[in-house]
């Protein structure tokens, strides 16, 4: 099998990410699909999260921190991905009660860039 055959296409990565996100399995998605030097970009810096997080390990830790802030997940959804050559986007919606912040409905446009069969960046827009 050649390297080309083993490397996932942007469409395959997008479909797998959506599949895992719909199950709420964000950590598996990141471990399976993200490059080691991936970058995550939030809409803005907050007291809880920096604007930019670099590296898979730091992104996994950011996910753990977010989960620790969740009191209860009431529901959510993920749209089908819109795919271009080396990028794709989807909308993630969550209905969640955050500790000390109350219940909120969040909707984000999530844009991903792919290189060599791995996600190299994710950026969120609200």
């Amino acid at each position: 099998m050649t390297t080309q055959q083993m490397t996932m296409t942007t469409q395959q990565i997008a479909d797998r990410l959506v599949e895992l996100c719909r199950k709420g399995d964000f950590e598996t998605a990141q471990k399976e699909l993200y490059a080691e030097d991936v970058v995550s970009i939030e809409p803005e810096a907050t007291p809880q999260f920096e604007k930019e997080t670099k590296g898979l390990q730091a992104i996994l830790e950011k996910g753990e921190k977010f989960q620790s802030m969740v009191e209860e997940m009431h529901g959510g959804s993920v749209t089908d991905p819109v795919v271009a050559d080396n990028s794709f986007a989807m909308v993630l919606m969550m209905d969640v009660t955050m500790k000390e912040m109350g219940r909120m409905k969040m909707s984000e446009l999530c844009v991903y860039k792919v290189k060599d069969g791995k996600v190299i960046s994710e950026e969120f827009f609200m």
Side-chain angles (χ1 to χ4, degrees), residues 4 17 27 39 68 71 78 85-86 119:
Q4 185 66 30
L17 185 67
E27 185 176 327
V39 176
S68 75
E71 186 174 307
V78 179
D85 289 339
N86 295 309
V119 172

Side-chain angles (χ1 to χ4, degrees), residues 2 14 36 47 96 100 115:
T2 67
E36 285 297 323
V96 62
E100 301 174 19
K115 183 178 178 185

Side-chain angles (χ1 to χ4, degrees), residues 97-111:
T97 299
M98 303 296 288
K99 294 176 183 169
E100 301 174 19
M101 296 166 71
R103 187 169 178 171
M104 58 183 75
K105 291 185 179 181
M106 297 183 280
S107 178
E108 298 184 307
L109 175 65
C110 311
V111 179

Side-chain angles (χ1 to χ4, degrees), residues 2 49 53 55 80 85 91 103 105 112 116:
T2 67
F49 300 104
T53 304
D80 289 335
D85 289 339
V91 176
R103 187 169 178 171
K105 291 185 179 181
Y112 301 87
D116 299 326

Side-chain angles (χ1 to χ4, degrees), residues 7-79:
T7 301
M8 292 176 75
T9 66
T10 302
Q11 182 72 56
Q12 289 168 325
I13 291 168
D15 290 343
R16 179 72 174 145
L17 185 67
V18 165
E19 174 191 350
L20 290 167
C21 288
R22 284 178 175 159
K23 294 177 183 175
D25 199 351
F26 302 101
E27 185 176 327
T28 297
Q30 293 164 337
K31 287 180 177 177
E32 188 178 305
L33 303 171
Y34 286 26
E36 285 297 323
D37 59 351
V38 64
V39 176
S40 179
I41 305 164
E42 293 292 336
E44 59 189 48
T46 66
Q48 297 85 9
F49 300 104
E50 295 181 27
K51 168 104 174 123
E52 194 170 287
T53 304
K54 294 182 181 180
L56 178 57
Q57 189 57 45
I59 289 171
L60 290 169
E61 290 167 9
K62 182 174 104 169
E64 290 171 10
K65 182 177 181 179
F66 178 80
Q67 287 302 321
S68 75
M69 296 167 61
V70 173
E71 186 174 307
E72 184 178 353
M73 185 68 72
H74 305 284
S77 63
V78 179
T79 63

